[in-house]
């Protein structure tokens, strides 16, 4: 990460300080707003539990008992080993090399802390692993160490974590993990952490949130690709949202726009646009949404958000909106039973609400592309005197309203007249956030009068639609569900023969009572045949089915072709034997001719190799350095 970007990130963190840290809250405030993720459990003391009711008490300082060192000396570096509880998990190569160069020049200025190992000889590092690693880089034989001979595991871990947390090079995620580890061990509460490390309660809370980060995003934070402010906000979202942000906007080959260079405000704007929906645009009762964990207004990211907030749970939002729209549409239908629901070709339709209404048995008219459905005019809203400070402005608003009201009344009267004359037909249009009334101009030449026959035809079509939907759902049901443990029934056996009859050869039709072999066997004939099959007919059906399947899937030397050959040899041994012998004889002749050519090529290769070998042999004059004497 270049210097310019680093400076920019620091500036963004400063400008967004209100967002980068939590508001001054007490420990009990963690439970006020429910987060859609596993909360960080912070041990509470009696003092912190009553903090919101009484005057804040002075921070409790927990004195960590540190064992006194017994001696300091230069240890053989091969007897020193790292511990497993060091919060620092990564070591920057550049800074490590700089430390190694410094140790090469002036040695280890501050001794590391060690204790005797339990599992054998040597010492375990309590803190100072960077100095130890840097010493190994320069090939040091010894290292200066303070030896704590009597120290408990708990004290050693505490010393390691607290010492490393006070180093400048510790990464945010490592710092977060260390704070959480100290709290989980129960040796510290929030106020003792504040006292021990000189960090504010806000600072520690914001660091603790980083433990909720999706791991690949945490790695981007450690590499300075993301600012801490952005990472902290991402950590408040559900894991599924974090993963989606990473896959689509943060990883190297992300599918969408790259957000890695965004400051906090820019990230906020794009996140809201991509992952949330403004609840203000929906008409259903949003009382439950105000305290919902999926309402972004309850995240710090949107702490100053006005209105109802933004929803991050699209499924819940769609379910509530669908239920509301369908219910409101049914109210309109109850008020006027003559109305019909229309699915318009143009404009917005709420597909899920229409599906819900369809399942309840409501008729839905599909309007073609040639039909234009127009919405009924909306009644104007009357002005309120309280909204105007100037009486003249209010009077002007009332006058404007009265003009609009008159126009609206005239339009409604005109549409009512057209409806009585049969010139328009009214429908309920189911739009995204609610139903509305719309009308369609009626062409009297094309209009079909309603009669008993037309209603019966409509009922017949409704029955067909019901069966089509039952079949569609049945296909889905049998595909997605496992079969119960039960014996194969005779009825299922009949189903198999019904299916296999589609592969029956036409030349075998007469064997099943179908005289004209050119006639296509329809489903009624199949059902009739299956109801009274003889053993001979069953055998013929199965063999025709086997033959058809193997002929379709047999290619080259695959298993299907091998089975096909076995099948032919089983039932037509003479004919199959003749075909096999004919082609094998043809192959044998070609094989022999090729073998002869191969022998000739091998012989020619040997001759060529012998000539090449003779050409490579040195002449006598080249071998002795003297001209060959005459014989």
């Amino acid at each position: 990460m270049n210097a310019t970007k680093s400076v920019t990130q620091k500036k963004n963190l400063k400008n967004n300080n209100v967002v980068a840290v939590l508001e001054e809250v007490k420990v009990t405030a963690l439970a006020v707003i429910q987060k859609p993720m596993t909360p960080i459990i912070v041990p509470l003391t009696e003092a912190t539990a009553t903090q919101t009711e009484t005057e804040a008490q002075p921070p409790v300082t927990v004195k960590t008992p540190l064992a006194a060192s017994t001696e300091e000396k230069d240890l053989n570096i091969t007897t020193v080993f790292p511990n497993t509880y060091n919060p620092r998990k990564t070591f920057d190569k550049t800074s490590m090399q700089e430390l190694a160069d410094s140790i090469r020049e002036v040695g280890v200025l501050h001794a590391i802390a060690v204790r005797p190992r339990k599992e054998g000889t040597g010492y375990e590092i309590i803190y100072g692993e960077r100095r130890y690693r840097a010493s190994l880089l320069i090939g040091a034989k010894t290292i200066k160490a303070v030896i704590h001979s009597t120290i408990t595991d708990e004290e050693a871990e505490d010393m390691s974590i607290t010492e490393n947390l006070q180093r400048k090079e510790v990464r945010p995620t490592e710092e977060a993990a260390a704070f959480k580890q100290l709290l989980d061990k129960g040796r510290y509460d929030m106020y003792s952490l504040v006292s021990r490390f000189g960090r504010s309660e806000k600072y520690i809370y914001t660091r603790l949130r980083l433990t909720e980060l999706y791991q690949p995003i945490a790695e981007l934070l450690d590499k300075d690709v993301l600012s801490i402010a952005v990472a902290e906000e991402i950590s408040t979202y559900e894991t599924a949202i974090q993963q989606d942000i990473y896959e689509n906007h943060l990883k190297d080959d992300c599918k969408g726009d790259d957000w890695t260079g965004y400051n906090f405000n820019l990230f906020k704007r794009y996140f809201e646009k991509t992952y949330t929906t403004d609840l203000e645009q929906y008409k259903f009762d949003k009382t439950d949404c105000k305290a919902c964990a999926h309402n972004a207004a309850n995240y710090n990211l949107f702490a100053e958000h006005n209105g109802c907030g933004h929803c991050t749970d699209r499924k819940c939002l769609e379910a509530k909106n669908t239920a509301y729209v369908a219910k409101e549409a049914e109210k309109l239908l109850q008020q006027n039973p003559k109305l019909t629901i229309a699915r318009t070709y143009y404009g917005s339709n709420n597909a899920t609400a229409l599906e819900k209404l369809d399942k309840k048995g409501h008729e839905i008219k599909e309007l073609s592309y040639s039909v234009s459905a127009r919405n009924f005019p909306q009644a104007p809203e009357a002005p309120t005197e309280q909204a105007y400070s100037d009486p003249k402005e209010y009077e002007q608003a009332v006058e404007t309203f009265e003009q609009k009201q008159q126009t609206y009344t005239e339009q409604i009267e005109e549409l009512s007249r057209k409806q009585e004359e049969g010139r328009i037909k009214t429908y309920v249009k189911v739009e995204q956030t609610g139903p509305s009334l719309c009308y369609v101009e009626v062409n009297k030449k094309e209009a079909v009068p309603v009669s008993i026959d037309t209603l019966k035809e409509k009922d017949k079509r409704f029955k067909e639609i019901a069966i089509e939907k039952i079949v569609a759902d049945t296909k889905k049901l049998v595909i997605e569900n496992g079969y119960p443990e039960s014996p194969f029934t005779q009825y299922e056996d009949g189903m198999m023969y019904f299916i296999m009859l589609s592969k029956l050869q036409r030349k075998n039709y007469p064997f099943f009572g179908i005289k004209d072999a050119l006639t296509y066997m329809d489903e009624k004939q199949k059902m009739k045949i299956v109801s009274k099959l003889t053993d001979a007919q069953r055998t013929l059906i199965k063999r025709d089915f086997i033959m058809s399947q193997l002929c379709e899937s047999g290619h080259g030397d695959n298993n299907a072709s091998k089975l096909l050959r076995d099948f032919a040899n089983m039932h037509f041994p003479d004919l199959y034997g003749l075909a096999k012998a004919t082609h094998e004889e043809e192959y044998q002749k070609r094989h022999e001719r090729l073998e002869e050519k191969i022998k000739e090529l091998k012989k020619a290769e040997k001759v060529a190799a012998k000539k090449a070998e003779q050409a490579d042999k040195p002449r006598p004059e080249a071998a002795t350095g003297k001209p060959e004497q005459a014989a």
Side-chain angles (χ1 to χ4, degrees):
M1 183 63 62
N2 57 41
T4 303
K5 187 169 184 178
S6 178
V7 171
T8 302
Q9 289 177 336
K10 291 178 180 178
K11 184 177 179 182
N12 291 333
L13 289 174
K14 182 177 179 181
N15 292 339
N16 296 286
N17 189 47
V18 175
V19 182
V21 296
L22 292 171
E23 283 191 5
E24 193 66 47
V25 293
K26 305 308 175 187
V27 175
T28 53
L30 283 178
V32 173
I33 298 177
Q34 182 185 358
K35 298 286 184 182
M37 73 285 289
T38 304
I40 300 170
I41 305 301
V42 181
L44 302 180
T45 65
E46 184 178 349
T48 59
T50 59
Q51 188 78 21
T52 57
E53 301 176 7
T54 61
E55 182 73 12
Q57 300 297 321
V60 178
T61 303
V62 174
K63 299 295 184 181
T64 306
L66 302 180
S69 61
T70 56
E71 57 180 312
E72 176 182 326
K73 67 177 184 178
D74 290 333
L75 297 177
N76 184 334
I77 201 166
T78 61
T79 65
V80 179
F81 302 89
N83 65 46
T84 58
Y85 43 78
N86 186 355
R88 187 193 302 278
K89 303 301 180 184
T90 55
F91 298 87
D92 182 71
K93 292 182 179 180
T94 302
S95 63
M96 187 64 69
Q97 187 60 53
E98 291 174 354
L99 179 59
D101 294 339
S102 174
I103 292 175
R104 184 184 288 109
E105 293 293 327
V106 298
V108 176
L109 298 180
H110 302 286
I112 67 173
V114 299
R115 66 170 179 163
R117 299 177 75 202
K118 289 184 178 181
E119 57 271 23
T121 59
Y123 299 90
E124 176 188 78
I125 297 173
I126 300 174
Y127 59 78
E129 188 174 339
R130 286 185 75 249
R131 283 162 276 171
Y132 163 76
R133 287 173 176 265
S135 298
L136 289 177
L137 281 178
I138 62 172
K141 302 298 182 183
T142 61
I143 187 169
K144 186 190 298 183
V146 175
I147 302 174
H148 295 271
S149 299
T150 57
I151 185 172
T152 66
D153 292 344
E154 189 178 62
E155 289 173 336
E157 184 176 358
D158 187 44
M159 289 175 63
S160 174
I161 294 173
T162 55
E163 197 276 344
N164 278 286
L165 280 178
Q166 297 176 49
R167 298 288 178 181
K168 293 182 179 180
E169 300 85 355
V170 66
R171 296 184 174 183
T173 54
E174 294 172 343
E175 187 178 23
F179 282 139
K180 189 174 188 301
Q181 189 175 351
L182 290 173
L183 289 170
D184 290 343
K185 292 291 182 181
R187 287 177 56 79
Y188 289 85
D189 61 14
M190 181 56 65
Y191 293 110
S192 57
L193 281 180
V194 170
S195 175
R196 181 63 183 270
F197 298 105
R199 299 289 191 181
S200 69
E201 188 176 335
K202 297 180 296 183
Y203 179 91
I204 295 174
Y205 272 126
T206 54
R207 282 297 186 269
L208 286 171
R209 286 210 312 239
L210 296 180
T211 60
E212 300 292 336
L213 268 180
Y214 179 49
Q215 185 56 36
I217 297 180
E219 293 172 3
L220 294 179
L221 171 62
D222 287 340
K223 295 176 183 177
D224 293 329
V225 176
L226 293 180
S227 69
I228 293 179
V230 170
E232 285 171 351
E233 289 305 328
I234 293 176
S235 69
T236 64
Y237 313 142
E238 296 173 80
T239 302
I241 294 179
Q242 291 192 41
Q243 291 175 341
D244 195 83
I245 291 173
Y246 176 75
E247 291 294 331
N248 290 294
H249 303 290
L250 297 180
K251 66 186 298 188
D252 289 339
D253 55 344
C254 61
K255 302 173 184 176
D257 296 332
D258 187 354
W259 292 359
T260 53
Y262 288 3
N263 61 26
F264 174 77
N265 288 330
L266 194 58
F267 171 83
K268 169 184 174 179
R269 183 161 65 251
Y270 276 87
F271 174 84
E272 180 178 329
K273 179 181 178 182
T274 307
Y275 291 97
T276 70
T277 304
D278 189 355
L279 290 168
E280 283 291 343
Q281 62 184 296
Y282 291 89
K283 301 174 184 177
F284 62 82
D285 184 5
K286 295 178 279 290
T287 302
D288 294 340
C289 299
K290 292 181 180 178
C292 179
H294 299 286
N295 188 341
N298 295 329
Y299 295 174
N300 284 340
L301 177 62
F302 299 94
E304 299 178 359
H305 207 75
N306 296 321
C308 301
H310 284 68
C311 179
T312 60
D313 189 344
R314 302 290 179 89
K315 289 184 178 179
C316 176
L317 178 69
E318 183 178 334
K320 286 186 175 183
N321 184 58
T322 297
Y324 168 79
V325 174
K327 185 177 180 180
E328 291 300 309
E330 287 184 312
K331 286 182 180 179
L332 291 176
L333 295 173
Q334 290 171 1
Q335 293 171 6
N336 187 351
K338 293 182 180 181
L339 289 175
T340 303
I341 299 172
R343 188 195 302 271
T344 59
Y345 188 86
Y346 301 102
S348 173
N349 290 289
N350 189 320
T352 52
L354 284 168
E355 183 179 354
K356 188 179 184 70
L357 291 166
D358 185 35
K359 287 182 178 179
K360 286 189 173 184
H362 294 289
E363 180 185 354
I364 298 176
K365 174 72 173 179
E366 301 282 345
L367 301 183
S368 69
Y369 70 92
S370 61
V371 176
S372 177
R374 300 176 183 177
N375 286 340
F376 271 73
Q378 296 293 318
E381 186 176 351
T384 58
E385 190 173 359
Q386 294 79 4
Y388 296 87
S389 57
D390 188 349
K392 291 184 178 180
E393 290 183 358
Y394 173 66
E395 291 177 4
Q396 181 63 42
V398 170
E399 184 179 343
T400 302
F401 165 73
E402 290 174 348
Q403 292 173 355
K404 290 182 178 179
Q405 182 66 28
Q406 183 178 354
T407 303
Y408 167 74
T409 303
E410 292 173 353
Q411 290 174 337
I412 292 297
E413 290 175 352
E414 176 66 17
L415 289 172
S416 298
R417 190 163 47 251
K418 287 184 177 181
Q419 189 171 4
E420 291 174 0
E421 296 172 356
R423 295 162 56 191
I424 63 171
K425 184 168 179 59
T426 307
Y427 294 97
V428 174
K429 182 180 180 181
V430 180
E431 298 179 291
Q432 285 297 328
T433 59
S436 62
L437 291 177
C438 67
Y439 63 93
V440 173
E441 298 284 349
V442 176
N443 187 339
K444 290 190 176 181
K445 293 182 180 179
E446 297 177 359
V448 178
V450 178
S451 64
I452 295 176
D453 290 338
T454 57
L455 292 177
K456 286 184 176 179
E457 284 296 320
K458 183 177 290 189
D459 183 64
K460 182 180 177 181
R461 178 54 189 153
F462 287 164
K463 180 65 175 177
E464 291 173 351
I465 292 172
I467 294 174
E468 289 170 2
K469 290 181 177 179
I470 291 171
V471 172
D473 286 349
T474 303
K475 288 179 180 179
K476 185 177 180 182
L477 184 150
V478 297
I479 290 172
E480 295 179 354
N481 292 278
Y483 300 110
E485 294 184 5
S486 60
F488 198 77
T489 66
Q490 185 176 355
Y491 192 60
E492 288 176 300
D493 194 58
M495 294 178 188
M496 289 295 300
Y497 286 109
F498 177 84
I499 295 169
M500 289 188 289
L501 271 173
S502 61
K503 300 299 182 181
L504 186 69
Q505 297 183 78
R506 290 183 181 273
K507 67 181 182 180
N508 293 326
Y509 276 19
F511 191 61
F512 293 84
I514 303 176
K515 298 179 180 179
D516 187 359
L518 298 178
T519 303
Y520 174 76
M521 188 186 300
D522 59 28
E523 293 186 348
K524 288 184 179 180
Q525 287 175 310
K526 289 181 183 178
M527 292 295 290
K528 186 177 180 181
I529 291 171
V530 169
S531 66
K532 51 180 182 179
L533 284 174
T534 65
D535 290 341
Q537 288 175 330
R538 288 191 180 93
T539 300
L540 185 57
I541 291 172
K542 287 187 284 190
R543 283 176 175 165
D544 269 9
F545 184 80
I546 291 173
M547 177 274 298
S548 175
Q549 293 298 112
L550 294 180
C551 285
E552 289 177 7
S553 55
H555 303 287
D557 198 30
N558 66 1
N559 289 328
S561 70
K562 291 176 182 177
L563 292 174
L564 177 63
R565 281 174 273 169
D566 291 341
F567 182 80
N569 189 40
M570 187 186 305
H571 298 291
F572 318 105
D574 295 337
L575 295 174
Y576 173 73
L578 178 61
K580 181 180 179 183
T582 300
H583 296 298
E584 285 184 347
E585 182 181 357
E586 180 182 336
Y587 163 73
Q588 189 61 34
K589 291 177 181 179
R590 291 178 176 175
H591 174 71
E592 290 173 357
R593 286 197 293 270
L594 290 175
E595 284 293 322
E596 291 176 1
K597 291 183 178 181
I598 290 172
K599 288 179 181 179
E600 292 175 359
L601 288 174
K602 286 183 177 180
K603 185 177 180 180
E605 287 175 357
K606 287 182 179 180
V607 172
K610 188 173 182 180
K611 290 182 179 180
E613 183 180 355
Q614 291 176 350
D616 289 340
K617 287 183 178 180
R619 296 180 181 179
E621 60 184 42
T624 59
K626 299 179 181 180
E628 186 176 346
Q629 295 181 355

